[in-house]
């Protein structure tokens, strides 16, 4: 197996490991019907996020490595656009998602009733909007890598 083939394999596995769980994180917490289930759903979500972070990091590193092994890619629109979109999506974490998640985490640790209040849904929907936007960006990146339209 060539070095390039090995890097492609790492890249594909990283996409599955990193992006797959990210696409279901909203669904997991939306299934909760009471606070106990919601707290458990966020616990699962936090554990899945570890896979997202590891996979995402390997995805970026393997993608840049493939560009280094194929320098002409840096002149290909699909590659540069994919990389730019990935960096934008990556910036969502600290710039958007973390600040939107912080009040939810605080709420989950402080709220003592068993019914999920409307306040949670309002905060969660703000977070989920940006997570969905990030997922759309990832779908565009996947399409660009498969189709290589420009």
């Amino acid at each position: 197996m060539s070095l390039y083939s090995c890097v492609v394999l790492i890249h594909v596995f990283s996409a599955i490991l990193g992006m797959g769980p990210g696409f279901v994180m909203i669904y997991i917490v939306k299934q909760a019907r009471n606070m106990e289930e919601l707290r458990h759903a966020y616990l699962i979500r936090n554990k899945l996020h570890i896979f997202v972070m590891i996979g995402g990091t390997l995805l970026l590193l393997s993608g840049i490595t493939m560009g280094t092994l194929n320098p002409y890619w840096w002149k290909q629109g699909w590659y540069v656009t994919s990389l730019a979109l990935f960096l934008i999506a990556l910036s969502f974490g600290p710039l958007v998602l973390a600040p939107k998640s912080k009040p939810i985490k605080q709420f989950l640790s402080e709220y003592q009733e068993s019914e999920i209040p409307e306040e949670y849904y309002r905060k969660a929907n703000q977070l989920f909007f940006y997570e969905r936007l990030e997922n759309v960006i990832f779908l565009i990146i996947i399409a660009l890598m498969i189709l290589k339209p420009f």
Side-chain angles (χ1 to χ4, degrees), residues 23-79:
F23 285 119
V24 298
M25 288 172 64
I26 295 171
Y27 177 78
I28 290 169
V29 295
K30 283 210 160 233
Q31 301 311 303
R33 299 293 169 237
N34 58 52
M35 286 302 297
E36 182 180 351
E37 289 179 5
L38 188 63
R39 284 187 184 94
H40 185 70
Y42 272 93
L43 179 67
I44 293 169
R45 178 184 163 97
N46 289 339
K47 290 181 184 215
L48 285 175
H49 190 252
I50 294 167
F51 289 98
V52 172
M53 290 187 307
I54 293 168
T57 301
L58 289 173
L59 200 54
L60 179 60
L61 294 175
S62 61
I64 290 171
T65 301
M66 286 189 293
T68 303
L69 293 172
N70 299 294
Y72 66 94
W73 280 12
W74 293 97
K75 294 179 181 167
Q76 300 292 308
W78 67 268
Y79 180 77

